[in-house]
Amino acid sequence: MKDFTKIAQATNIQDSPEMAILNRVAREWQQGQSLIVWEVIPPVNTKSVENMVIIVKILILMSVFYTVFFTLAPLVQLLFYKTFDKMAMIGVFAILSVVLQLFVALPLLLKYLRSNRWRAIKITIDRTAKTASIRRSSNNIQTAAFGTPNVLLPAFRLPENNAGQYTHKKEALQSRISAETGFLFEEWAEIQAA
């Protein structure tokens, strides 16, 4: 009887974006294209996950405040403001809660999105000009000529469920690129430890 788990896993790996990038770059490199561009998305680090959890908790808290304001609005209206219209009080509390969300939760969310906007590392290799450009963020762009010492390219990523069958393909491509450009590849475990 066939093991369909391995077949399904191999299909999922082959369809992954990491494998699509690896296959495309390998094909373009083999064909000798002069300009090769690819992006490597770093693995999610624990700090960004913690930041996202905090933002989600703040948004939940703001929703609770919003609900409490709507619940308390009629009571406050009955106790203190007998001359105000009930709908006017609900509107005041709704505006206060929305303003609170805009000034607290939205800036935190925008800060998080801004920090992760340039997470992908874009590598451009121009074989004609014999240069490479590594864009790690909007203001961190490194351009180097082939053979420049101490230039490290981020290693190609493989899918998380890779059982090692595509490691050889990745290493072969990286060694071909290193042989022509003189650049070395840095594995993600080394990058995250630094």
Side-chain angles (χ1 to χ4, degrees):
M1 182 162 212
K2 289 187 177 183
D3 185 5
F4 290 106
T5 309
K6 290 183 179 179
I7 295 171
Q9 184 181 22
T11 304
N12 290 341
I13 290 172
Q14 195 62 23
D15 293 341
S16 70
E18 295 94 348
M19 287 308 301
I21 290 171
L22 183 67
N23 290 332
R24 180 183 55 81
V25 173
R27 184 178 58 252
E28 289 175 0
W29 196 267
Q30 186 68 28
Q31 292 172 351
Q33 288 189 7
S34 61
L35 187 66
I36 300 174
V37 180
W38 74 91
E39 286 186 349
V40 178
I41 299 174
V44 176
N45 62 12
T46 56
K47 185 66 176 168
S48 65
V49 171
E50 289 171 5
N51 290 344
M52 192 58 179
V53 167
I54 290 170
I55 289 171
V56 167
K57 286 180 180 179
I58 289 173
L59 288 174
I60 290 171
L61 186 64
M62 292 296 112
S63 298
V64 168
F65 283 146
Y66 191 74
T67 305
V68 168
F69 283 146
F70 266 116
T71 306
L72 292 179
L75 293 174
V76 171
Q77 190 264 338
L78 288 174
L79 294 174
F80 299 109
Y81 303 103
K82 295 184 180 182
T83 59
F84 279 125
D85 184 8
K86 186 177 183 179
M87 290 307 290
M89 283 306 295
I90 291 175
V92 167
F93 279 109
I95 290 171
L96 285 174
S97 61
V98 168
V99 166
L100 189 62
Q101 286 183 14
L102 287 176
F103 284 112
V104 175
L106 190 61
L108 288 173
L109 185 62
L110 290 175
K111 179 182 177 187
Y112 176 77
L113 293 174
R114 210 174 311 123
S115 68
N116 286 326
R117 182 175 179 195
W118 299 106
R119 281 193 62 226
I121 300 171
K122 184 176 182 180
I123 297 104
T124 305
I125 294 182
D126 187 349
R127 294 167 112 177
T128 306
K130 298 204 180 293
T131 60
S133 174
I134 307 159
R135 181 183 185 150
R136 296 185 192 281
S137 66
S138 61
N139 57 0
N140 185 3
I141 302 171
Q142 177 185 13
T143 304
F146 285 8
T148 303
N150 301 325
V151 175
L152 297 173
L153 299 175
F156 287 94
R157 290 198 51 216
L158 293 176
E160 298 294 327
N161 56 354
N162 176 32
Q165 64 261 48
Y166 293 101
T167 306
H168 176 70
K169 184 173 188 173
K170 174 185 118 172
E171 290 173 356
L173 175 61
Q174 289 180 174
S175 64
R176 282 185 285 176
I177 293 173
S178 293
E180 185 173 332
T181 63
F183 304 140
L184 300 175
F185 282 86
E186 185 175 27
E187 293 297 326
W188 288 104
E190 298 167 6
I191 293 171
Q192 290 178 341

